[in-house]
mmCIF file of all heavy atoms in Angstrom:
data_model
loop_
_atom_site.group_PDB
_atom_site.id
_atom_site.type_symbol
_atom_site.label_atom_id
_atom_site.label_comp_id
_atom_site.label_asym_id
_atom_site.label_seq_id
_atom_site.Cartn_x
_atom_site.Cartn_y
_atom_site.Cartn_z
ATOM 1 N N GLU A 60 82.969 118.061 89.513
ATOM 2 C CA GLU A 60 82.055 118.682 90.471
ATOM 3 C C GLU A 60 82.104 118.013 91.837
ATOM 4 O O GLU A 60 81.626 118.563 92.817
ATOM 5 C CB GLU A 60 80.627 118.657 89.925
ATOM 6 C CG GLU A 60 79.731 119.731 90.503
ATOM 7 C CD GLU A 60 78.504 119.964 89.662
ATOM 8 O OE1 GLU A 60 78.645 120.379 88.494
ATOM 9 O OE2 GLU A 60 77.402 119.727 90.171
ATOM 10 N N ALA A 61 82.689 116.820 91.915
ATOM 11 C CA ALA A 61 82.841 116.138 93.198
ATOM 12 C C ALA A 61 84.050 115.216 93.119
ATOM 13 O O ALA A 61 84.326 114.639 92.071
ATOM 14 C CB ALA A 61 81.581 115.333 93.538
ATOM 15 N N VAL A 62 84.785 115.110 94.240
ATOM 16 C CA VAL A 62 85.999 114.291 94.258
ATOM 17 C C VAL A 62 86.100 113.512 95.563
ATOM 18 O O VAL A 62 85.495 113.873 96.576
ATOM 19 C CB VAL A 62 87.273 115.161 94.089
ATOM 20 C CG1 VAL A 62 87.307 115.826 92.735
ATOM 21 C CG2 VAL A 62 87.377 116.196 95.201
ATOM 22 N N HIS A 63 86.905 112.464 95.511
ATOM 23 C CA HIS A 63 87.321 111.732 96.705
ATOM 24 C C HIS A 63 88.768 111.334 96.487
ATOM 25 O O HIS A 63 89.109 110.738 95.459
ATOM 26 C CB HIS A 63 86.462 110.479 96.910
ATOM 27 C CG HIS A 63 86.960 109.592 98.014
ATOM 28 N ND1 HIS A 63 86.778 109.903 99.346
ATOM 29 C CD2 HIS A 63 87.647 108.416 97.984
ATOM 30 C CE1 HIS A 63 87.317 108.959 100.089
ATOM 31 N NE2 HIS A 63 87.854 108.043 99.282
ATOM 32 N N GLY A 64 89.640 111.690 97.434
ATOM 33 C CA GLY A 64 91.050 111.361 97.295
ATOM 34 C C GLY A 64 91.799 112.259 96.330
ATOM 35 O O GLY A 64 92.932 111.951 95.945
ATOM 36 N N ILE A 65 91.182 113.358 95.921
ATOM 37 C CA ILE A 65 91.802 114.348 95.029
ATOM 38 C C ILE A 65 91.686 115.712 95.710
ATOM 39 O O ILE A 65 90.691 115.977 96.398
ATOM 40 C CB ILE A 65 91.096 114.388 93.653
ATOM 41 C CG1 ILE A 65 91.170 113.014 92.978
ATOM 42 C CG2 ILE A 65 91.709 115.441 92.740
ATOM 43 C CD1 ILE A 65 90.378 112.909 91.689
ATOM 44 N N VAL A 66 92.671 116.565 95.540
ATOM 45 C CA VAL A 66 92.656 117.859 96.218
ATOM 46 C C VAL A 66 91.405 118.654 95.824
ATOM 47 O O VAL A 66 90.957 118.600 94.671
ATOM 48 C CB VAL A 66 93.920 118.677 95.880
ATOM 49 C CG1 VAL A 66 95.151 118.011 96.471
ATOM 50 C CG2 VAL A 66 94.082 118.863 94.380
ATOM 51 N N PRO A 67 90.815 119.402 96.785
ATOM 52 C CA PRO A 67 89.585 120.153 96.509
ATOM 53 C C PRO A 67 89.733 121.172 95.385
ATOM 54 O O PRO A 67 88.737 121.538 94.751
ATOM 55 C CB PRO A 67 89.284 120.845 97.838
ATOM 56 C CG PRO A 67 90.034 120.072 98.873
ATOM 57 C CD PRO A 67 91.235 119.524 98.189
ATOM 58 N N GLU A 68 90.978 121.603 95.136
ATOM 59 C CA GLU A 68 91.193 122.586 94.073
ATOM 60 C C GLU A 68 90.797 122.060 92.694
ATOM 61 O O GLU A 68 90.651 122.827 91.743
ATOM 62 C CB GLU A 68 92.663 123.015 94.050
ATOM 63 C CG GLU A 68 93.094 123.889 95.219
ATOM 64 C CD GLU A 68 93.333 123.095 96.490
ATOM 65 O OE1 GLU A 68 93.355 121.839 96.431
ATOM 66 O OE2 GLU A 68 93.491 123.721 97.553
ATOM 67 N N ALA A 69 90.617 120.741 92.594
ATOM 68 C CA ALA A 69 90.220 120.156 91.309
ATOM 69 C C ALA A 69 88.767 120.475 90.959
ATOM 70 O O ALA A 69 88.385 120.391 89.789
ATOM 71 C CB ALA A 69 90.425 118.641 91.340
ATOM 72 N N ILE A 70 87.956 120.838 91.961
ATOM 73 C CA ILE A 70 86.560 121.156 91.703
ATOM 74 C C ILE A 70 86.474 122.336 90.731
ATOM 75 O O ILE A 70 87.105 123.370 90.925
ATOM 76 C CB ILE A 70 85.814 121.520 93.007
ATOM 77 C CG1 ILE A 70 85.883 120.359 93.999
ATOM 78 C CG2 ILE A 70 84.367 121.894 92.710
ATOM 79 C CD1 ILE A 70 85.156 119.130 93.578
ATOM 80 N N GLY A 71 85.710 122.168 89.686
ATOM 81 C CA GLY A 71 85.575 123.211 88.672
ATOM 82 C C GLY A 71 86.525 123.056 87.501
ATOM 83 O O GLY A 71 86.429 123.807 86.525
ATOM 84 N N TYR A 72 87.443 122.080 87.570
ATOM 85 C CA TYR A 72 88.398 121.869 86.482
ATOM 86 C C TYR A 72 87.681 121.283 85.273
ATOM 87 O O TYR A 72 87.006 120.261 85.375
ATOM 88 C CB TYR A 72 89.524 120.936 86.949
ATOM 89 C CG TYR A 72 90.530 120.585 85.874
ATOM 90 C CD1 TYR A 72 91.444 121.533 85.427
ATOM 91 C CD2 TYR A 72 90.562 119.311 85.324
ATOM 92 C CE1 TYR A 72 92.373 121.209 84.451
ATOM 93 C CE2 TYR A 72 91.482 118.980 84.346
ATOM 94 C CZ TYR A 72 92.391 119.941 83.914
ATOM 95 O OH TYR A 72 93.301 119.612 82.937
ATOM 96 N N ARG A 73 87.825 121.922 84.141
ATOM 97 C CA ARG A 73 87.121 121.482 82.938
ATOM 98 C C ARG A 73 88.023 120.597 82.082
ATOM 99 O O ARG A 73 89.207 120.892 81.881
ATOM 100 C CB ARG A 73 86.648 122.683 82.123
ATOM 101 C CG ARG A 73 85.867 122.292 80.867
ATOM 102 C CD ARG A 73 85.132 123.462 80.258
ATOM 103 N NE ARG A 73 84.465 123.106 79.009
ATOM 104 C CZ ARG A 73 83.307 122.481 78.934
ATOM 105 N NH1 ARG A 73 82.677 122.145 80.046
ATOM 106 N NH2 ARG A 73 82.748 122.188 77.772
ATOM 107 N N VAL A 74 87.462 119.503 81.598
ATOM 108 C CA VAL A 74 88.177 118.550 80.754
ATOM 109 C C VAL A 74 87.550 118.569 79.361
ATOM 110 O O VAL A 74 86.348 118.337 79.206
ATOM 111 C CB VAL A 74 88.108 117.128 81.347
ATOM 112 C CG1 VAL A 74 88.798 116.133 80.416
ATOM 113 C CG2 VAL A 74 88.742 117.096 82.731
ATOM 114 N N ALA A 75 88.358 118.853 78.366
ATOM 115 C CA ALA A 75 87.864 118.910 76.994
ATOM 116 C C ALA A 75 87.623 117.504 76.460
ATOM 117 O O ALA A 75 88.193 116.524 76.966
ATOM 118 C CB ALA A 75 88.877 119.644 76.107
ATOM 119 N N PRO A 76 86.780 117.353 75.446
ATOM 120 C CA PRO A 76 86.530 116.035 74.855
ATOM 121 C C PRO A 76 87.833 115.357 74.430
ATOM 122 O O PRO A 76 88.701 115.992 73.827
ATOM 123 C CB PRO A 76 85.655 116.349 73.639
ATOM 124 C CG PRO A 76 85.011 117.661 73.956
ATOM 125 C CD PRO A 76 86.010 118.423 74.771
ATOM 126 N N GLY A 77 87.995 114.083 74.777
ATOM 127 C CA GLY A 77 89.164 113.323 74.366
ATOM 128 C C GLY A 77 90.368 113.472 75.258
ATOM 129 O O GLY A 77 91.374 112.784 75.052
ATOM 130 N N VAL A 78 90.314 114.342 76.266
ATOM 131 C CA VAL A 78 91.454 114.553 77.161
ATOM 132 C C VAL A 78 91.355 113.589 78.341
ATOM 133 O O VAL A 78 90.352 113.563 79.054
ATOM 134 C CB VAL A 78 91.503 116.002 77.664
ATOM 135 C CG1 VAL A 78 92.615 116.164 78.713
ATOM 136 C CG2 VAL A 78 91.714 116.958 76.499
ATOM 137 N N GLY A 79 92.423 112.801 78.571
ATOM 138 C CA GLY A 79 92.403 111.833 79.651
ATOM 139 C C GLY A 79 91.365 110.751 79.400
ATOM 140 O O GLY A 79 90.651 110.742 78.392
ATOM 141 N N LEU A 80 91.262 109.819 80.336
ATOM 142 C CA LEU A 80 90.308 108.730 80.144
ATOM 143 C C LEU A 80 88.870 109.234 80.236
ATOM 144 O O LEU A 80 88.014 108.842 79.437
ATOM 145 C CB LEU A 80 90.554 107.641 81.191
ATOM 146 C CG LEU A 80 89.865 106.315 80.882
ATOM 147 C CD1 LEU A 80 90.510 105.639 79.682
ATOM 148 C CD2 LEU A 80 89.904 105.379 82.098
ATOM 149 N N SER A 81 88.597 110.131 81.182
ATOM 150 C CA SER A 81 87.231 110.637 81.354
ATOM 151 C C SER A 81 86.782 111.444 80.145
ATOM 152 O O SER A 81 85.622 111.369 79.724
ATOM 153 C CB SER A 81 87.126 111.472 82.630
ATOM 154 O OG SER A 81 87.372 110.675 83.769
ATOM 155 N N GLY A 82 87.697 112.232 79.587
ATOM 156 C CA GLY A 82 87.360 112.988 78.386
ATOM 157 C C GLY A 82 87.058 112.080 77.205
ATOM 158 O O GLY A 82 86.173 112.383 76.386
ATOM 159 N N ARG A 83 87.747 110.950 77.123
ATOM 160 C CA ARG A 83 87.464 109.983 76.044
ATOM 161 C C ARG A 83 86.115 109.301 76.256
ATOM 162 O O ARG A 83 85.374 109.057 75.296
ATOM 163 C CB ARG A 83 88.581 108.943 75.984
ATOM 164 C CG ARG A 83 89.927 109.508 75.537
ATOM 165 C CD ARG A 83 90.956 108.406 75.369
ATOM 166 N NE ARG A 83 92.259 108.961 75.031
ATOM 167 C CZ ARG A 83 93.347 108.229 74.766
ATOM 168 N NH1 ARG A 83 93.250 106.903 74.796
ATOM 169 N NH2 ARG A 83 94.489 108.804 74.476
ATOM 170 N N VAL A 84 85.815 108.988 77.524
ATOM 171 C CA VAL A 84 84.516 108.373 77.818
ATOM 172 C C VAL A 84 83.383 109.315 77.426
ATOM 173 O O VAL A 84 82.389 108.901 76.823
ATOM 174 C CB VAL A 84 84.428 108.006 79.315
ATOM 175 C CG1 VAL A 84 83.000 107.636 79.702
ATOM 176 C CG2 VAL A 84 85.367 106.853 79.634
ATOM 177 N N ALA A 85 83.539 110.601 77.758
ATOM 178 C CA ALA A 85 82.507 111.579 77.394
ATOM 179 C C ALA A 85 82.386 111.707 75.877
ATOM 180 O O ALA A 85 81.283 111.825 75.337
ATOM 181 C CB ALA A 85 82.835 112.932 78.022
ATOM 182 N N GLU A 86 83.515 111.673 75.196
ATOM 183 C CA GLU A 86 83.517 111.837 73.741
ATOM 184 C C GLU A 86 82.890 110.631 73.049
ATOM 185 O O GLU A 86 82.109 110.786 72.092
ATOM 186 C CB GLU A 86 84.949 112.026 73.257
ATOM 187 C CG GLU A 86 85.080 112.294 71.773
ATOM 188 C CD GLU A 86 86.531 112.536 71.385
ATOM 189 O OE1 GLU A 86 87.414 111.738 71.785
ATOM 190 O OE2 GLU A 86 86.787 113.532 70.691
#
Side-chain angles (χ1 to χ4, degrees):
E60 204 162 297
V62 295
H63 172 76
I65 300 174
V66 293
E68 289 78 10
I70 301 294
Y72 177 72
R73 182 166 176 80
V74 177
V78 174
L80 195 69
S81 296
R83 293 186 184 183
V84 168
E86 184 177 48

